[in-house]
Amino acid sequence: MFVVFSLIDFSGWWSGNTLGNILQFTAILGCIAIGQALVIMTREIDLSVGSVYGLTGIAFITLEADLGVPGAMLVAMVIAGSIGFLQAMAVIKGKIPSMIVTLGGLFAVRGLIYVWTGGTVRSLPADSRAHWLTQLFGGELFGIDAAIFWTAGLVVLLSLVVWRTKFGNRLLATGGDENTALSQGVRTDRVKTIAFVLCSLLAGFAAILTLTDNPQTHVTLGDLMELEAIAAAVIGGCLLSGGRGSLLGAVLGAFIITGVRYQLISLGAPASWYISFVGLVLIAALIFNQFLARWASQQA
């Protein structure tokens, strides 16, 4: 991708401003994609993350006037985690497919955003933007956006959890073969609940990273980000059949999606081209991943 874009537009692609913006938005989308990858590894899916992202951001900006920056962040994250927990309960206790539950969550939470905001644009006051906590999540370190460091830290931490802890083993076992996992004593319901809650929390955290850097909300905040997050996770190697995936791969998938978006913008392409690209790449990645899975099983 770097080679192709460099040949097309060398000076524009390699400018510090372009790469900086791409990495910043990769960090935001990558944070959501990490959570999506965790859910996909359990053979479930969460279509509500874009709306959760939007509602968390709205809650943070709106509640800041009464609760202050720390209180607003805390309550906003609690709201995000609660949505993930409620959806997990509906999937597990109600025996309803996660695609249906989270699709309903997508519309329900998006509706709450419209009701809460009334369609108005809101932003943080100047003193709140200068708050140390706002700067911690939305500022810069050595000229690099804080979101990049936060997402990099999350990739390292959660990758260690997935590949080096009992929970990670149980997560992959649940997605690989739930009945076998149950027979080995894995509490698959608990594993899925944690995965859904983490997914919503990471979507909410991505909203905090976004709004502390650019503290202005709108009703379409997070619209269609769930599709980008799913595409990033699948491009990064997560199988929708569960049991396999990579959190680093999900972030690299987010980088590909974000990089292509900026290149299409610089070429003056219509916005619809980007949506078409995401859809086509998602289908191609699914086909390729399934091919690799079949090939690996034949080699075993």
Side-chain angles (χ1 to χ4, degrees), residues 16-220:
N17 185 52
T18 298
L19 289 177
N21 287 333
I22 289 173
L23 289 176
Q24 181 187 13
F25 282 98
T26 295
I28 300 298
L29 178 58
C31 189
I32 303 175
I34 291 171
Q36 190 69 249
L38 291 172
V39 172
I40 290 175
M41 286 179 189
T42 66
R43 200 181 294 187
E44 304 290 352
I45 199 163
D46 190 342
L47 298 176
S48 70
V49 288
S51 296
V52 173
Y53 170 92
L55 183 63
T56 305
I58 295 292
F60 168 58
I61 296 293
T62 305
L63 297 175
E64 186 279 330
D66 297 320
L67 303 178
V69 172
M73 281 188 183
L74 178 60
V75 173
M77 290 299 291
V78 169
I79 291 173
S82 299
I83 294 171
F85 179 77
L86 291 173
Q87 291 185 143
M89 290 299 100
V91 171
I92 295 166
K93 303 299 183 182
K95 305 298 182 184
I96 306 172
S98 58
M99 180 175 290
I100 302 301
V101 171
T102 57
L103 180 62
L106 181 156
F107 290 115
V109 175
R110 183 61 60 182
L112 285 176
I113 293 174
Y114 279 90
V115 172
W116 196 345
T117 64
T120 60
V121 175
R122 304 183 182 188
S123 61
L124 283 178
D127 57 338
S128 297
R129 298 184 187 190
H131 192 280
W132 69 269
L133 202 54
T134 304
Q135 293 300 311
L136 177 65
F137 292 108
E140 294 183 352
L141 181 63
F142 307 117
I144 301 174
D145 289 292
I148 297 172
F149 292 104
W150 282 106
T151 299
L154 285 170
V155 169
V156 173
L157 176 62
L158 291 175
S159 293
L160 288 174
V161 170
V162 170
W163 299 111
R164 293 290 184 268
T165 68
K166 290 182 179 179
F167 172 76
N169 189 36
R170 292 165 182 165
L171 181 84
L172 296 171
T174 298
D177 190 326
E178 186 171 354
N179 291 328
T180 301
L182 282 168
S183 69
Q184 295 298 317
V186 176
R187 301 179 66 176
T188 57
D189 288 355
R190 176 179 291 183
V191 170
K192 289 186 178 183
T193 299
I194 294 173
F196 273 104
V197 171
L198 281 174
C199 185
S200 289
L201 285 174
L202 287 168
F205 186 64
I208 297 296
L209 294 177
T210 302
L211 272 298
T212 49
D213 178 66
N214 184 23
Q216 190 174 68
T217 68
H218 48 84
V219 294
T220 59

Side-chain angles (χ1 to χ4, degrees), residues 237-271:
C238 291
L239 296 182
L240 290 178
S241 55
R244 296 182 186 180
S246 166
L247 303 186
L248 176 59
V251 176
L252 292 176
F255 175 77
I256 291 174
I257 290 174
T258 305
V260 170
R261 174 195 287 172
Y262 268 82
Q263 189 59 47
L264 289 175
I265 290 173
S266 69
L267 293 175

